[in-house]
Amino acid sequence: QSALTQPPSASGSPGQSVTISCTGTSSDIGGYNYVSWYQQHPGKVPKLIIYEVTKRPSGVPDRFSGSKSGNTASLTVSGLQAEDEADYYCSSYAGRSVVFGGGTKLAVL
Amino acid sequence: EVQLVESGGALVKPGTSLRLSCQASGFTFNEAWMTWVRQAPGKGPEWVARISLHRDGGATDYAAPVKGRFTISRDDSKSTLYLQMNSLQTEDTAVYYCTTYLRGYLESWGHGTLVTVSP
């Protein structure tokens, strides 16, 4: 069982917006503004797309955005594109460790 | 360009040991906290271990499933990160990634090395 809880799947049509939630506790998500999100296509290495809750690394489209409220973080993908179909994992600093969610498979219908 | 190249993965039997290496280039290795993350087949990533800067004492932290069995270390003169894995168990089967670490996020990842533990 993963430390952070994500829905196993999400879906949307091209052009739509989808939000993926990630629920933790006050010891991880709720205690720090150090939530990150990773995108992983099949057979590929995870790629950082959001860090410190809302920041995007250089090169990541602004269609990807992050937020947090209490012990729950969210990733929103706006203007869905076919290439956004992938697995998405949330992660949080937890003091002397890092915890991950179980992942959400995003389907672009 | 940041490059992280892992090596040392193999097929081994339960109870044996293995040492993974990660050769880093393209950034100032001795100024980077580093981690090992693993991903079992069909599962999500799992954080394994973290090491701070040498000047900060090279402090280490471990995930509960590997604490006492795995040791993370670094050789800044060689820009190389290591993971010594002892008493390997079938549950340790995974692709092991070397990553940079900063404030909880893992910006750069290697391509991983596969460790298979099987009787």
Side-chain angles (χ1 to χ4, degrees):
Chain A
Q1 186 173 355
S2 302
L4 306 179
T5 301
Q6 298 180 234
S9 64
S11 63
S13 300
Q16 289 187 331
S17 294
V18 170
T19 297
I20 298 171
S21 64
C22 172
T23 302
T25 69
S26 58
S27 296
D28 38 66
I29 292 177
Y32 311 95
N33 287 322
Y34 292 149
V35 176
S36 51
W37 290 87
Y38 303 85
Q39 177 192 62
Q40 186 176 31
H41 288 106
K44 301 296 186 181
V45 178
K47 174 188 174 184
L48 177 71
I49 58 172
I50 295 289
Y51 67 100
E52 294 179 359
V53 181
T54 61
K55 298 177 181 178
R56 283 186 311 277
S58 174
V60 174
D62 60 6
R63 302 185 295 102
F64 293 90
S65 62
S67 63
K68 190 189 89 165
S69 177
N71 296 337
T72 299
S74 298
L75 171 72
T76 298
V77 186
S78 305
L80 271 174
Q81 298 183 6
E83 60 262 34
D84 298 333
E85 187 160 292
D87 293 325
Y88 292 84
Y89 298 95
C90 61
S91 178
S92 175
Y93 176 81
R96 299 190 64 174
S97 67
V98 172
V99 291
F100 281 93
T104 298
K105 185 175 293 293
L106 175 60
V108 180
L109 306 174
Chain B
E1 178 193 1
V2 172
Q3 284 205 348
L4 299 168
V5 180
E6 302 92 338
S7 61
L11 169 62
V12 297
K13 295 192 181 299
T16 59
S17 299
L18 201 60
R19 188 176 86 155
L20 307 182
S21 300
C22 171
Q23 179 68 54
S25 62
F27 65 103
T28 307
F29 183 74
N30 63 5
E31 294 182 359
W33 288 52
M34 300 293 294
T35 79
W36 286 98
V37 173
R38 68 185 180 184
Q39 188 168 24
K43 304 293 185 182
E46 177 188 22
W47 175 77
V48 172
R50 176 183 70 187
I51 188 166
S52 71
L53 305 183
H54 181 75
R55 68 168 183 258
D56 294 333
T60 57
D61 292 293
Y62 299 92
V66 309
K67 196 168 187 178
R69 299 188 298 123
F70 289 14
T71 302
I72 187 173
S73 62
R74 63 191 300 158
D75 184 338
D76 290 347
S77 69
K78 296 180 179 179
S79 296
T80 301
L81 180 72
Y82 301 101
L83 185 67
Q84 177 67 43
M85 305 186 293
N86 298 332
S87 302
L88 282 162
Q89 305 166 356
T90 56
E91 310 87 86
D92 297 318
T93 293
V95 174
Y96 285 73
Y97 297 100
C98 157
T99 85
T100 58
Y101 171 91
L102 181 63
R103 293 190 292 274
Y105 67 90
L106 315 177
E107 182 169 19
S108 299
W109 297 57
H111 279 83
T113 187
L114 177 62
V115 173
T116 303
V117 185
S118 179

